[in-house]
Amino acid sequence: AIEYLHKNEHIPTHILIPILEDRLKMLDCQTKGWLLEGFPQNREQALAMQVAGMMPKHFVLLDAPDAVLIERCLGKRVDPLTGDVYHILFYPPDDAIVADRLETQQNYNTDEVSSRLSTFQRHIDGIVQCYEKVYKKINADQPVGDVFAQVLLGPTGSGKSTQAELLSKKYQLINVCVDSLVKEAIVKQSKIGNGIKLYLDRGVAAPDGLMFQLVKERLCQLDCVKKGWILHGYPRTREQAVRMTEIGLEPNRVYVLDIPTDSILERLSLRGTDPITGDRYHMHYNPPGTNEIASRLRTHPDDTEEAIMKRLSAYQIFVDDICEFYEDTVKHINADQDPHTIFESLEAGIVSPLPIRPDTPF
């Protein structure tokens, strides 16, 4: 086998199989079981394993588009001193010194990776046929290691709803918008909804107890437990964040969408709705086509500068305390960009390894 490696040639199956068989017969494999990665690489090897009696209980295929795999491979970097592996986008080093000395992995150029993928695609169907009864395909175009529990923080007009929708579609997370929860509860005339309505009708915020119960019930439903969730519009105070954590509703990532006040005012105060057609416009980004339409546009009371500043002030009072509480999982995102650029920044955080949380987070 060494001679073939020195010549940079593939090791023949009749040599590989006995080596593998000897390893799987060792005591640790016999007592603990084994996990074989990257082998067999073709149908011939799969059949030879079966002839030798090496039959796995499970055959798992991690499947992802070629473009995604190429991006992952091309972004890999290695620290020559420690051997640690990083990715320039998904898992960059925190230390600038380490970042400066990273090296590109050998054979990780576009042509080489594309060639290896082509070889894989040529053989995979034949391999799968050998393991049809124990075969399972997993979507590998998603983050690893956790059931997602994400919180999006940000002032009014920062794009939380847009980003939550994009994340929900890409990663099949349950999109939990607290404002929508409140409206649904009121429409259904649930006990919590009726309680909240009493306060909203008087123009005051609903108490924490009612809001917490509303959020708790939604996040504890089966779809959120199984698929994970992306929560926006809550928590709005440190106390709310603490109560969530106390009952195990602790997000593993918290994103803060930062945007200047001037940009918020521009986004919201210049919006208008046509009362005849219901169409919505923005004087800069989506202006009406005629002066007649422009003259009849109406601004929502929530989009006046006074109303916007009031909501922004309420957010700014508490956001620093919330960030301090979630300090180990907070990531600030520049939200004064186009939606897809913001989404790329969020996604880069999602696919990075989870931060190590302290035993006592507060």
Side-chain angles (χ1 to χ4, degrees), residues 106-301:
Q106 290 185 344
N107 300 325
Y108 270 63
N109 56 68
T110 302
D111 291 341
E112 180 66 25
V113 173
S114 297
S115 175
R116 286 154 54 190
L117 285 173
S118 177
T119 300
F120 170 82
Q121 298 293 355
R122 189 166 62 249
H123 291 292
I124 189 58
D125 289 342
I127 299 173
V128 168
Q129 290 174 4
C130 297
Y131 298 108
E132 286 182 333
K133 293 184 179 181
V134 294
Y135 164 68
K136 175 71 173 180
K137 182 164 72 171
I138 302 294
N139 176 21
D141 185 17
Q142 55 185 332
V144 299
D146 62 290
V147 174
F148 309 131
Q150 322 286 326
V151 164
L152 276 182
L153 300 176
T156 180
S158 60
K160 297 187 296 296
S161 297
T162 299
Q163 296 305 319
E165 182 67 22
L166 291 172
L167 289 171
S168 175
K169 288 181 178 179
K170 176 67 181 287
Y171 297 109
Q172 289 77 55
L173 298 171
I174 304 303
N175 184 358
V176 181
C177 172
V178 172
D179 288 342
S180 296
L181 286 183
V182 170
K183 293 176 183 177
E184 291 171 7
I186 292 175
V187 169
K188 292 178 180 178
Q189 297 185 342
S190 66
K191 184 177 180 180
I192 296 177
N194 289 335
I196 292 175
K197 188 175 185 298
L198 290 175
Y199 290 91
L200 297 185
D201 287 345
R202 291 182 293 180
V204 297
D208 278 0
L210 287 174
M211 295 301 299
F212 174 74
Q213 190 64 32
L214 181 69
V215 173
K216 174 186 173 183
E217 288 185 2
R218 183 64 188 93
L219 297 185
C220 289
Q221 290 180 12
L222 184 60
D223 57 349
C224 286
V225 173
K226 291 179 63 176
K227 296 182 178 181
W229 41 267
I230 174 76
L231 176 66
H232 50 113
Y234 194 93
R236 295 180 178 177
T237 66
R238 183 188 181 101
E239 290 71 23
Q240 293 173 350
V242 170
R243 290 194 68 182
M244 285 182 61
T245 299
E246 287 175 343
I247 64 167
L249 295 175
E250 185 174 13
N252 42 42
R253 294 178 179 87
V254 176
Y255 298 100
V256 183
L257 303 182
D258 295 323
I259 181 171
T261 300
D262 290 347
S263 296
I264 294 174
L265 291 173
E266 180 182 289
R267 287 185 180 184
L268 301 183
S269 64
L270 297 181
R271 298 190 300 191
T273 303
D274 186 337
I276 296 179
T277 65
D279 293 335
R280 303 187 69 180
Y281 297 93
H282 189 282
M283 299 310 293
H284 284 178
Y285 309 130
N286 181 32
T290 66
N291 291 331
E292 179 184 356
I293 296 176
S295 65
R296 67 176 183 241
L297 294 185
R298 296 292 180 266
T299 300
H300 193 281

Side-chain angles (χ1 to χ4, degrees), residues 297-309:
L297 294 185
R298 296 292 180 266
T299 300
H300 193 281
D302 288 342
D303 287 345
T304 64
E305 183 171 341
E306 181 182 357
I308 294 169
M309 293 304 298

